[in-house]
Amino acid sequence: MTSRFYITTPIYYVNARPHIGHAYTTIACDTIARRQRMLGADTYFLTGTDEHGVHVERAALSAGQAPQQWVDEVSSAFRALWERMHLTYDDFIRTTSERHKRGVQQLWRRIRDNGYIYKGSYSGQYCVFDELYVDAVGAGAPCPECGRPTETVHEENYFFKLSEFSGKLLKLYTEQPDFIRPETRRNEVLSFVRSGLRDLSISRSTFTWGVPVPDDAGHVIYVWLDALSNYITALGYGSDDDGKFQKYWPADLHMIGKEIVRFHCVYWPAFLMAANLPLPKAIVAHGWLLFEENKMSKSRGNIVRAESILDVLGSDALRYFLLREVVFGQDGSFSFDALVQRYNADLANGLGNLASRTLTMIQRYFHGEIPYPSHAAARKPADDEIVAIAEKTIADYSTLVDQYHFSRALECAWSLVAAVNKYIVETEPWTLGEQQDEMSRSRLATILYTSAEALRIVTAMVHAVIPDATARIWAQLGLGDIKKLALRELKWGQLRLGTKLGSIEPVFPRADKMTIERMQKMEDQQRPTLATAEKSEPATQAQPAAAQRPTATPLPPPASASPDGQISIDDFAKVELRVAQVKLAEKVKGADKLLRLEVDLGTEVRQIVAGIAEAYLPETLIGRKVVVVANLAPRKLRGLESNGMIVAASPEGGKAVLCGFLEDVPLGSRLK
RNA sequence: GGCGGUGUAGCUCAGGUGGUUAGAGCGACGGUCUCAUAAUCCGUAGGUCGUUGGUUCGAGUCCAACCGCCGCCA
């Protein structure tokens, strides 16, 4: 019986276009899925988009679009990118699809019929932004997720009896220590569950963009219950044809980011238990991909898209970099510099060059046919060493990669590459190539066979990671279609003598100095366009790219003032003043005058460092609406990046007085 | 504030159960070969192993306190 393997990515929220963070998760899953297929497993790889919730509704409205139109666009952007990257997913689920909605409602009914859903009422604080009920006292208390002031609400909701599952969940974590990886996430979940679980509100009635609660159209199902269900609805759960569900569920692996551990490790198993459905076998949480040590964010303007990398270096380069550079499970750092360095050192100089030199010599000395020694005496200890290293590498690599230690696995694979390069230098096949005697020819044949066979083995092993280049090396080795490779049977000596090489060409041409600039330039060019495309972000849209990246684009010339000091209306229009609300304020260490603020512009939260500490205590500012210069170029103060400026009156010799409003104004409103 | 984690060469990290001169990769520098994508290969780099105490014949490796960073929770 063939084994089955069902693997999922999270479904991506369509409030933003795909970037390399999304690509990272999906690449990791694609690698695992490809490997499982090569190992002969009947593999099913699912990804998709999460399209419900108040954020999406809001984004669509502000773009003047119907929600459905909006989500169609963004969802297709994800699929377009995945196609370009040759990601081999088997299905793409959208939460707005009928098949999904039907399945979610079915799951709801099942949980309800089992007695785990009840109608209750909630009065307290609610964060509209995060759709989150907040356990806090006092009107306007800040949301623990985003820091925005919460609203006091009284509403009827459906609740899930999460509190009844503490014991069962703890039993699950104990009996299956590998249910949650890595260990540190497991510890978090354990302490969360041990501290006691409260029932979970699983419906919302304040907006409509969601899946209606069965038999009560006034409510929509909580986005997380909606979203998590995708893992089974995509398999046909709740439909007439649930063959795939029967076949593939439970999932072998849910791959997720560390920010959604709780939903996957606590809520999801509890929902499934309540519905009497089998639980997934494992959940693996990876870390975040940072850009040069910083979190990628819209306000920083440092989100890296995958497109420029694909255009310049190709998808293999990105795949290899992400899996090799980042210790899986931990946060990792992306930079163009590191990408190019890895590319040149490992792919071009390492594997690419090994293929090139080996194949060229076989071409030159043996007319392009894999040679084999005619004399047993031509064999030397160095050859056997390579065989031993190769066999050990096959074993070690597969152990590591099957534990999702991609970085160490690739390091291990490359140790074979290095060993073969060294072997070639030490055995000097080019010297033997000048000799015509039979012994020299035999020795030369041994060396080149050994090199080519080692190359074949590395190529086969890492195919799941760098599929395109390895397919080409495979063809150059004269081995045809790499897809037919049975990885499980991979071992030394399978390369047949006489195999005719294909045409040889470099697979990883070296990247020159201009490479980084080219990618960077593409990113910069893309940003203004994206700002326009992402209509959900009026603040970003209005913000010229020049303001975000002062080094990349020349700054506009200073506003031309007339001799009497007057400016034109156009000059004033360059200053983008907007209403924002302070959600967090704290003193900057070591600075008497500075406060670090986080302000909400309605569409984004950004950090501003303001020199008002002598005039205001931080805690008095929280919740206050202020005026912000939104398109001011970022600047570092005391090591903190300030993205804008708070407008205040500055009397001579007196303390600053913040600008405010007598009437209430919506966040993000522009002053003009 | 509670719980958990973490701090080792310029960078990224290895260093079960304490034991001779603390390791690897990359980068940098010097050298070599020439089959190869100016690639390969060889050599060099002397890091208070966060700080301070303690246990021990002996601690990067155990304990305590402190400092820094991170995560989860409140």
Side-chain angles (χ1 to χ4, degrees), chain A residues 502-522:
Chain A
S503 64
I504 301 165
E505 54 181 27
V507 285
F508 292 116
R510 255 185 89 78
D512 60 26
K513 304 179 208 75
M514 294 300 292
T515 310
I516 295 175
E517 275 177 48
R518 283 166 65 201
M519 288 188 288
Q520 200 101 52
K521 209 169 191 173
M522 290 177 71

Side-chain angles (χ1 to χ4, degrees), chain A residues 335-381:
Chain A
S335 72
F336 288 109
D337 205 50
L339 170 69
V340 169
Q341 197 170 299
R342 274 282 173 215
Y343 176 87
N344 276 337
D346 295 1
L347 296 179
N349 300 350
L351 180 60
N353 186 46
L354 174 63
S356 177
R357 69 198 307 201
T358 304
L359 297 170
T360 305
M361 283 190 279
I362 292 172
Q363 188 70 259
R364 178 173 306 176
Y365 302 129
F366 292 96
H367 309 294
E369 284 183 17
I370 301 291
Y372 207 75
S374 48
H375 282 303
R379 192 157 194 85
K380 292 194 172 180

Side-chain angles (χ1 to χ4, degrees), chain A residues 69 71 107 196 268 303 317 320 334 352 355 386 388 468 479 482 503 509 515 522 538 638:
Chain A
Q69 186 188 352
V71 300
L107 181 65
W268 179 230
I303 292 176
Y320 178 80
F334 176 87
I386 292 295
D468 295 349
L479 298 172
I482 197 169
S503 64
T515 310
M522 290 177 71
R638 290 271 170 175

Side-chain angles (χ1 to χ4, degrees), chain A residues 63-371:
Chain A
Q65 284 185 339
Q68 190 63 52
Q69 186 188 352
W70 169 268
V71 300
D72 286 350
E73 279 181 26
V74 183
S75 179
S76 66
F78 274 91
R79 266 166 295 158
L81 179 60
W82 295 167
E83 296 301 336
R84 273 200 68 188
M85 298 181 68
H86 309 139
L87 295 167
T88 58
Y89 57 88
D90 295 290
D91 195 4
F92 190 100
I93 182 82
R94 302 183 52 189
T95 57
T96 52
S97 61
E98 279 311 313
R99 61 172 176 151
H100 174 73
K101 293 185 199 169
R102 193 169 49 222
V104 176
Q105 290 179 325
Q106 175 59 29
L107 181 65
W108 174 287
R109 284 192 206 96
R110 184 129 172 210
I111 296 173
R112 180 194 64 193
D113 294 347
N114 284 345
Y116 293 107
I117 291 179
Y118 64 94
K119 202 167 190 177
S121 65
Y122 174 86
S123 48
Q125 299 309 116
Y126 179 68
C127 175
V128 181
F129 193 83
D130 291 309
E131 293 171 39
L132 194 69
Y133 293 92
V134 176
D135 182 30
V137 282
C143 166
E145 281 299 312
C146 66
R148 291 177 172 79
T150 51
E151 293 177 7
T152 309
V153 297
H154 302 278
E155 62 179 41
E156 280 216 310
N157 277 128
Y158 289 94
F159 284 83
F160 172 68
K161 291 185 183 172
L162 182 64
S163 57
E164 292 191 13
F165 292 90
S166 301
K168 283 183 195 164
L169 287 168
L170 288 171
K171 187 158 175 267
L172 166 69
Y173 309 141
T174 312
E175 286 175 356
Q176 291 175 241
D178 274 352
F179 183 70
I180 308 165
R181 275 172 289 179
E183 190 74 21
T184 171
R185 303 297 156 210
R186 180 169 180 270
N187 291 341
E188 286 174 8
V189 171
L190 274 173
S191 76
F192 178 77
V193 175
R194 279 190 187 126
S195 72
L197 296 174
R198 266 174 295 180
D199 289 350
L200 184 69
S201 164
I202 51 165
S203 73
R204 297 289 185 272
S205 55
T206 49
F207 60 93
T208 57
W209 186 243
V211 180
V213 167
D215 310 316
D216 191 344
H219 292 257
V220 295
I221 297 174
Y222 175 48
V223 280
W224 270 106
L225 175 52
D226 175 357
L228 288 163
S229 313
N230 90 86
Y231 300 131
I232 57 175
T233 63
L235 298 177
Y237 174 80
S239 77
D240 298 335
D241 176 15
D242 68 350
K244 282 184 190 148
F245 178 72
Q246 297 302 334
K247 184 174 176 188
Y248 292 110
W249 190 257
D252 293 270
L253 176 61
H254 289 318
M255 179 77 73
I256 62 171
K258 67 180 184 181
E259 73 283 1
I260 51 177
V261 162
R262 196 167 89 205
F263 303 100
H264 282 79
C265 301
V266 181
Y267 300 166
W268 179 230
F271 292 151
L272 291 167
M273 286 171 180
N276 272 323
L277 293 171
L279 308 180
K281 293 175 197 159
I283 295 164
V284 170
H286 66 246
W288 284 342
L289 199 57
L290 310 174
F291 180 71
E292 293 171 355
E293 312 294 311
N294 294 308
K295 195 178 170 187
M296 289 190 214
S297 73
K298 287 178 199 163
S299 58
R300 278 203 176 90
N302 66 352
I303 292 176
V304 179
R305 316 275 165 180
E307 285 84 348
S308 57
I309 300 164
L310 301 184
D311 281 349
V312 176
L313 289 178
S315 70
D316 279 353
L318 178 60
R319 293 171 71 105
Y320 178 80
F321 174 82
L322 292 175
L323 295 179
R324 173 63 185 83
E325 184 83 4
V326 180
V327 176
F328 202 70
Q330 296 179 24
D331 288 353
S333 190
F334 176 87
S335 72
F336 288 109
D337 205 50
L339 170 69
V340 169
Q341 197 170 299
R342 274 282 173 215
Y343 176 87
N344 276 337
D346 295 1
L347 296 179
N349 300 350
L351 180 60
N353 186 46
L354 174 63
S356 177
R357 69 198 307 201
T358 304
L359 297 170
T360 305
M361 283 190 279
I362 292 172
Q363 188 70 259
R364 178 173 306 176
Y365 302 129
F366 292 96
H367 309 294
E369 284 183 17
I370 301 291

